[in-house]
Amino acid sequence: MLPVDDIRKKLLTQRRNLFRQVAQTEDELLWLETDVESEVEERGQEESMVRLLDRLDGRAKAEIEEIDRALFKLGTEQYGRCEQCGKAIPPSRLEAVPAAALCMVCAQAGENQAALRK
Ligand SMILES: [Zn+2]
């Protein structure tokens, strides 16, 4: 069984670090220090998040989306399962990349395809 709380913490830290790169005002930095998970509904925080999201580049945005998806799946059977082939993703991979949505084989196949397209 995977330590859900540890993974959640890791994911939230990753997410925060991504946002931190583009945080500029005190408000935004403050928002990053608050518990993102419990208070997301609050209006002011949501505005900060939208502003920060705007400044992130495509790659960072994709990473945040991946992290959010993983957080959403965490605690369900879907977490830790490859979205492509449905096989369990090895815990060692999840430890290194907690937001991983694909197993190593499928992730590599995807990268090869992307490389071919160039
Ligand atoms: Zn797979």
Side-chain angles (χ1 to χ4, degrees):
M1 191 54 204
L2 290 156
V4 172
D5 284 344
D6 286 0
I7 296 169
R8 188 184 310 257
K9 243 178 253 162
K10 261 193 213 173
L11 286 167
L12 287 174
T13 305
Q14 276 188 359
R15 198 171 183 273
R16 230 170 268 205
N17 287 340
L18 283 166
F19 278 128
R20 197 167 280 141
Q21 292 168 12
V22 290
Q24 288 166 348
T25 67
E26 236 171 86
D27 270 8
E28 288 164 357
L29 287 166
L30 199 71
W31 171 73
L32 285 169
E33 298 313 319
T34 52
D35 193 336
V36 182
E37 207 185 5
S38 62
E39 308 279 345
V40 215
E41 268 104 316
E42 260 182 54
R43 239 186 94 85
Q45 295 195 340
E46 219 166 277
E47 277 167 22
S48 291
M49 180 157 148
V50 170
R51 267 205 309 272
L52 288 175
L53 269 174
D54 249 17
R55 268 184 237 136
L56 287 168
D57 59 23
R59 198 189 160 82
K61 255 187 224 175
E63 267 180 66
I64 295 221
E65 271 166 34
E66 216 169 49
I67 291 168
D68 281 346
R69 269 220 321 274
L71 280 168
F72 186 72
K73 287 192 295 188
L74 200 63
T76 73
E77 275 181 22
Q78 275 158 305
Y79 182 76
R81 216 155 261 288
C82 175
E83 286 184 354
Q84 204 124 317
C85 67
K87 281 188 197 143
I89 300 170
S92 57
R93 172 161 166 77
L94 289 174
E95 206 157 302
V97 193
L102 300 173
C103 71
M104 213 56 181
V105 178
C106 292
Q108 253 159 22
E111 268 166 38
N112 288 344
Q113 255 176 20
L116 282 176
R117 254 179 263 137
K118 268 174 208 159

